[in-house]
Amino acid sequence: MKRASLLLVVMMGLMVAAPALATLRINPNDDVTIRGSTNYNATSVFGLFVKNSSDVSYMEYTLGSVEASEAKLVLHNDDAGVTSPWEIVIKGSEFDFDETSFNDGSAGSGWAVAGTIPGVMAIDFYEMNVTAWYNANLGKTMSLFMTRDSQPGGSGPIFEDREGTKTGDAVMYGPRLEVTEVPEPATLLLLSAGVGLMIRRRRGF
């Protein structure tokens, strides 16, 4: 009876701790491509692209309120016509916009750089670590601005947008933040206790 009770405590501890260690997906509230001063929201063949200095994209996210042990931006390039590696510059600021009407391509030019994604060319997923940026802006509505500092030869990448304009599958290929939240102290304590009890049980105590 005592061993059964210990096992029950362990199982409950693991069940509580497991969701806290799971990856949280945060999709954009809005996203848009702007060419010059023209809004190309969810318009084929645009997706979210970076081409010349006036061809840029924006994504708006509402960040969680719990500190992350890891947070990353995930994008998928869907354009087979990229013939040279591009370095995408990602800038961020506390900013919100309406994707159906926003048309200021230069709004993000002065924002602080959150990071870069180098070597974008093949059709593939690309990631950028944004943990420090995420933790510095918990609970805020933040926007990311995608541009480039220099333009390689050929056409720039086109990333899938939140509507799935390019692939028809926004769940699989759409832009997002993937966040692993730091477990609360109480959860860590319970998990630790559960593991300790399992060890004791295996040793026959």
Side-chain angles (χ1 to χ4, degrees), residues 2-203:
K2 189 177 290 184
R3 287 189 175 184
S5 298
L6 290 177
L7 184 58
L8 180 60
V9 171
V10 171
M11 291 176 64
M12 289 177 63
L14 293 176
M15 287 173 64
V16 170
L21 299 174
T23 298
L24 171 69
R25 172 173 173 150
I26 303 177
N27 295 319
N29 303 324
D30 291 277
D31 61 12
V32 65
T33 282
I34 297 174
R35 168 168 278 179
S37 60
T38 304
N39 177 308
Y40 282 100
N41 176 51
T43 303
S44 186
V45 297
F46 288 95
L48 298 175
F49 66 48
V50 177
K51 294 187 180 293
N52 62 42
S53 60
S54 63
D55 296 344
V56 296
S57 295
Y58 291 82
M59 297 172 288
E60 176 197 298
Y61 295 92
T62 299
L63 308 189
S65 58
V66 178
E67 185 176 348
S69 59
E70 181 184 43
K72 59 186 178 182
L73 172 67
V74 180
L75 301 170
H76 189 271
N77 173 46
D78 302 295
D79 187 2
V82 186
T83 56
S84 301
W86 282 60
E87 179 173 84
I88 307 303
V89 179
I90 311 290
K91 299 182 178 184
S93 184
E94 187 171 9
F95 185 79
D96 62 87
F97 63 90
D98 181 346
E99 66 178 22
T100 63
S101 58
F102 180 61
N103 64 356
D104 186 354
S106 64
S109 58
W111 297 355
V113 174
T116 61
I117 305 178
V120 178
M121 186 170 75
I123 293 179
D124 206 348
F125 285 98
Y126 294 87
E127 299 180 354
M128 186 182 84
N129 188 298
V130 293
T131 308
W133 175 84
Y134 184 91
N135 287 336
N137 296 290
L138 293 176
K140 298 179 181 178
T141 295
M142 304 291 294
S143 289
L144 294 173
F145 171 67
M146 296 197 294
T147 184
R148 89 291 178 275
D149 284 336
S150 61
Q151 184 168 340
S155 178
I158 303 176
F159 300 103
E160 182 58 287
D161 57 20
R162 76 187 191 102
E163 292 88 359
T165 302
K166 294 288 289 178
T167 66
D169 189 350
V171 173
M172 179 68 181
Y173 299 106
R176 68 263 195 181
L177 297 175
E178 292 185 356
V179 180
T180 303
E181 295 183 338
V182 176
E184 296 178 357
T187 301
L188 287 174
L189 183 61
L190 187 55
L191 180 59
S192 231
V195 171
L197 287 170
M198 286 183 71
I199 293 172
R200 285 170 61 87
R201 184 174 182 273
R202 288 178 64 85
R203 288 178 178 174

